[in-house]
């Protein structure tokens, strides 16, 4: 048996294939522990939930919801390794996210570019979930966590449901969401759809920009009333350019909002392109990148290899290494590839400025081999990071 210690009680729970360590978080009926999965062996975070009265229907609903999230495979949604019910306790084993939560980052202060990158990450997470028929229903800063590299991850689908289905867990009031982030239609008890999640994300957007909640009051009824009836607040003058975006996110009528997360992400990327500091070396911004492509590029370093593990074939050109030879793209870039290049260079520079030289080298190598082997910034910094690789790239280019 593995002993699990809480602030108020000591109980025993034996989770098959897992061991539990120290408690690292607590809220409501749940506690989170550091743990270890035995096969395959890896460090995990394990959330343990103890519903009041050990209600079997609640435990069944929790298990279904855990199974739903476990089916997701997306870099901006928490990876779930296992879930189940043991001795009237629900457990969920997931990846460890060591970069803190969004509430902490808001308290520290966010740049506009960091704010938009987080919005895009969350938009992509919701896009993935919504396309699979699942609403999150509890978007808030505490449920947005980060990897060490700054990538935002959506967690805690504890009251996520398919469409408008309502679980017993929600119905009995064990989890009702957070009033500060509820859409007007949800506050009124009406049917909701994916636009309700987007409204909540809009509330988070305001909080990231301003550092305060959209509506705040002494009790939950007053907060809910404000979401339904109060006008959308004006942003400060220096942020007024984002007012149209905020108004669309927080429209009282769902028909006036973005109709899908895909629409939102498309619009957010337009704002990011205006914000990108192509040659800014004074700030360490979170880069705007496709994290799925990013993870592929980083994979050899994650598993311990020093070289890219596979060739990448795209658009009529080849990027790879064979017997120490580096081949570079010498084909004119398509408009799409030019946009990708304009995003990857600031990302590489951001990693360089943050002294994350391993990831910077990966990005500069990709820029010089896949896109433009004569890009001056990438050349100059690759020469600093890896002179041997730099020489081979220049030789292949010239």
């Amino acid at each position: 048996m593995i002993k699990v210690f809480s602030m108020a009680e000591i109980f025993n729970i034996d989770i098959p294939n897992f061991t539990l360590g120290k408690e690292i978080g607590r809220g409501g009926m749940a506690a989170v522990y550091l743990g270890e999965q035995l096969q395959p062996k890896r460090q995990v975070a394990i959330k343990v939930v103890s519903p009041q009265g050990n209600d079997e229907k609640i435990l069944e609903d929790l298990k279904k919801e855990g199974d739903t999230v476990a089916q997701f495979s997306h870099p901006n949604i928490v990876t779930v390794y296992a879930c189940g019910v043991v001795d009237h306790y629900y457990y969920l084993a997931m990846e460890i996210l060591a970069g803190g939560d969004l509430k902490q980052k808001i308290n520290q202060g966010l740049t506009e570019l960091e704010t938009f990158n987080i919005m895009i990450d969350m938009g992509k997470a919701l896009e993935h979930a919504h396309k699979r028929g699942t609403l999150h229903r509890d978007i808030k800063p505490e449920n947005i966590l980060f990897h060490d590299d700054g990538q935002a991850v959506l967690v805690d689908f504890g009251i996520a449901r398919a469409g408008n289905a309502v679980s017993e867990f929600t119905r009995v009031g064990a989890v009702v969401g957070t009033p500060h982030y509820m859409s007007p239609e949800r506050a009124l008890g009406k049917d909701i759809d994916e636009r309700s999640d987007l409204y909540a994300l809009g509330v988070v957007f305001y909080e990231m920009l301003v550092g305060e909640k959209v509506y705040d009051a002494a009790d939950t009824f007053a907060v809910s009333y404000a979401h339904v009836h109060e006008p959308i607040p004006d942003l400060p003058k220096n942020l007024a350019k984002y007012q149209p975006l905020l108004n669309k996110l927080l429209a009282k009528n769902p028909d006036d909002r973005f109709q899908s997360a895909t629409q939102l992400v498309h619009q957010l990327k337009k704002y990011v392109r205006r914000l990108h500091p192509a040659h800014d070396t004074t700030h360490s911004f979170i880069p705007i990148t496709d994290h799925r492509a990013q993870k592929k590029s980083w994979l050899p370093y994650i598993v311990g290899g020093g070289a890219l593990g596979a060739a990448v074939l795209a658009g009529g050109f080849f990027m790879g290494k064979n017997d120490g030879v580096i081949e570079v793209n010498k084909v004119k870039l398509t408009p799409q590839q030019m946009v990708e290049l304009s995003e990857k260079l600031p990302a590489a520079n951001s990693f360089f400025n943050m002294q994350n030289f391993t990831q910077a080298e990966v990005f500069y190598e990709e820029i010089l081999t896949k896109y433009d082997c004569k890009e001056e910034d990438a050349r100059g910094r690759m020469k600093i990071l890896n002179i041997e690789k730099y020489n081979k790239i220049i030789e292949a280019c010239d």
Side-chain angles (χ1 to χ4, degrees), residues 51-246:
Q52 187 174 8
N54 295 327
D55 189 295
E56 294 290 345
K57 184 65 172 72
I58 293 175
L59 291 168
E60 181 183 339
D61 281 335
L62 279 168
K63 178 63 167 60
K64 289 178 181 178
E65 289 157 357
D67 287 339
T68 297
V69 182
Q71 300 303 311
F72 295 153
S73 178
H74 192 276
N76 300 119
I77 295 178
V78 64
T79 299
V80 171
Y81 300 125
C83 63
V85 176
V86 175
D87 296 333
H88 297 288
Y89 293 100
Y90 168 77
Y91 73 90
L92 184 144
M94 55 191 168
E95 64 178 317
I96 295 174
L97 298 164
D101 65 27
L102 181 55
K103 184 176 181 179
Q104 295 168 325
K105 291 185 180 293
I106 290 172
N107 290 337
Q108 295 165 0
L110 290 163
T111 67
E112 292 172 32
L113 186 55
E114 285 173 328
T115 294
F116 274 90
N117 275 284
I118 293 167
M119 285 290 291
I120 288 176
D121 280 349
M122 289 301 95
K124 290 180 177 179
L126 290 177
E127 179 182 39
H128 186 81
H130 292 168
K131 285 182 177 179
R132 284 151 184 81
T134 299
L135 309 180
H136 187 279
R137 298 166 60 97
D138 197 20
I139 304 295
K140 59 183 178 181
E142 293 88 340
N143 284 340
I144 299 172
L145 273 59
F146 295 86
H147 286 292
D148 284 334
D149 63 14
Q151 179 181 348
V153 178
L154 184 59
V155 304
D156 203 347
F157 282 73
I159 57 173
R161 300 302 299 166
N164 280 305
V166 179
S167 71
E168 191 68 21
F169 191 40
T170 301
R171 186 179 296 113
V172 299
V175 173
V176 295
T178 309
H180 284 97
Y181 304 92
M182 280 188 182
S183 64
E185 60 271 25
R186 189 162 180 221
L188 291 169
K190 296 181 178 180
D191 288 345
I192 63 170
D193 56 28
E194 61 193 69
R195 297 171 296 180
S196 182
D197 276 348
L198 297 181
Y199 179 94
L201 185 57
V203 178
V204 173
F205 176 59
Y206 179 90
E207 196 167 335
M208 285 193 286
L209 288 175
V210 179
E212 300 174 356
K213 292 179 172 60
V214 172
Y215 305 113
D216 208 357
D219 57 69
T220 57
F221 174 81
V223 172
S224 298
Y225 180 92
H227 278 291
V228 175
H229 299 289
E230 293 294 328
I232 299 168
D234 292 332
L235 289 169
K237 287 184 178 180
N238 64 313
L239 300 171
K241 56 184 174 290
Y242 305 129
Q243 192 70 48
L245 175 61
L246 181 70

Side-chain angles (χ1 to χ4, degrees), residues 104-395:
Q104 295 168 325
K105 291 185 180 293
I106 290 172
N107 290 337
Q108 295 165 0
L110 290 163
T111 67
E112 292 172 32
L113 186 55
E114 285 173 328
T115 294
F116 274 90
N117 275 284
I118 293 167
M119 285 290 291
I120 288 176
D121 280 349
M122 289 301 95
K124 290 180 177 179
L126 290 177
E127 179 182 39
H128 186 81
H130 292 168
K131 285 182 177 179
R132 284 151 184 81
T134 299
L135 309 180
H136 187 279
R137 298 166 60 97
D138 197 20
I139 304 295
K140 59 183 178 181
E142 293 88 340
N143 284 340
I144 299 172
L145 273 59
F146 295 86
H147 286 292
D148 284 334
D149 63 14
Q151 179 181 348
V153 178
L154 184 59
V155 304
D156 203 347
F157 282 73
I159 57 173
R161 300 302 299 166
N164 280 305
V166 179
S167 71
E168 191 68 21
F169 191 40
T170 301
R171 186 179 296 113
V172 299
V175 173
V176 295
T178 309
H180 284 97
Y181 304 92
M182 280 188 182
S183 64
E185 60 271 25
R186 189 162 180 221
L188 291 169
K190 296 181 178 180
D191 288 345
I192 63 170
D193 56 28
E194 61 193 69
R195 297 171 296 180
S196 182
D197 276 348
L198 297 181
Y199 179 94
L201 185 57
V203 178
V204 173
F205 176 59
Y206 179 90
E207 196 167 335
M208 285 193 286
L209 288 175
V210 179
E212 300 174 356
K213 292 179 172 60
V214 172
Y215 305 113
D216 208 357
D219 57 69
T220 57
F221 174 81
V223 172
S224 298
Y225 180 92
H227 278 291
V228 175
H229 299 289
E230 293 294 328
I232 299 168
D234 292 332
L235 289 169
K237 287 184 178 180
N238 64 313
L239 300 171
K241 56 184 174 290
Y242 305 129
Q243 192 70 48
L245 175 61
L246 181 70
N247 290 347
K248 193 169 182 67
L249 283 164
L250 298 184
K252 305 297 183 184
N253 186 338
D255 292 338
D256 295 330
R257 297 178 208 149
F258 291 98
Q259 297 303 291
S260 69
T262 302
Q263 285 184 6
L264 173 60
V265 170
H266 179 75
Q267 187 65 34
L268 290 170
K269 286 182 176 180
K270 292 182 179 179
Y271 282 92
V272 167
R273 291 190 184 105
R274 302 170 198 164
L275 283 168
H276 257 306
H279 299 287
D280 189 338
T281 59
T282 61
H283 297 87
S284 295
F285 293 114
I286 298 172
I288 169 63
T289 58
D290 185 330
H291 293 299
R292 283 166 289 186
Q294 200 169 315
K295 282 190 173 181
K296 292 177 183 176
S297 299
W298 299 350
L299 181 59
Y301 294 89
I302 295 172
V303 300
L308 291 173
V312 178
L313 294 171
F317 60 87
F318 171 79
M319 180 187 75
K321 292 191 268 289
N322 295 308
D323 299 326
V325 177
I326 294 180
E327 296 187 35
V328 301
N329 173 38
K330 294 185 179 181
V331 178
K332 185 177 179 181
L333 297 182
T334 65
Q336 177 60 35
Q337 290 164 353
M338 292 175 68
V339 171
E340 292 174 3
L341 175 58
S342 71
E343 294 179 346
K344 288 182 181 294
L345 183 58
N349 290 342
S350 294
F351 280 125
F352 188 92
N353 295 336
M354 290 186 287
Q355 299 184 30
N356 190 340
F357 298 128
T358 299
Q359 309 303 349
E361 182 181 330
V362 172
F363 271 56
Y364 286 129
E365 180 179 7
E366 183 177 6
I367 289 166
L368 291 170
T369 56
K370 183 178 177 181
Y371 295 98
D372 183 1
C373 62
K374 296 185 178 181
E375 212 295 317
E376 292 184 2
D377 280 357
R379 275 194 175 200
R381 294 190 173 182
M382 178 60 81
K383 188 174 182 179
I384 295 171
L385 296 171
N386 191 327
I387 185 64
E388 181 180 355
K389 188 178 294 182
Y390 166 82
N391 288 335
K392 289 180 180 179
I393 292 173
I394 298 310
E395 180 181 357

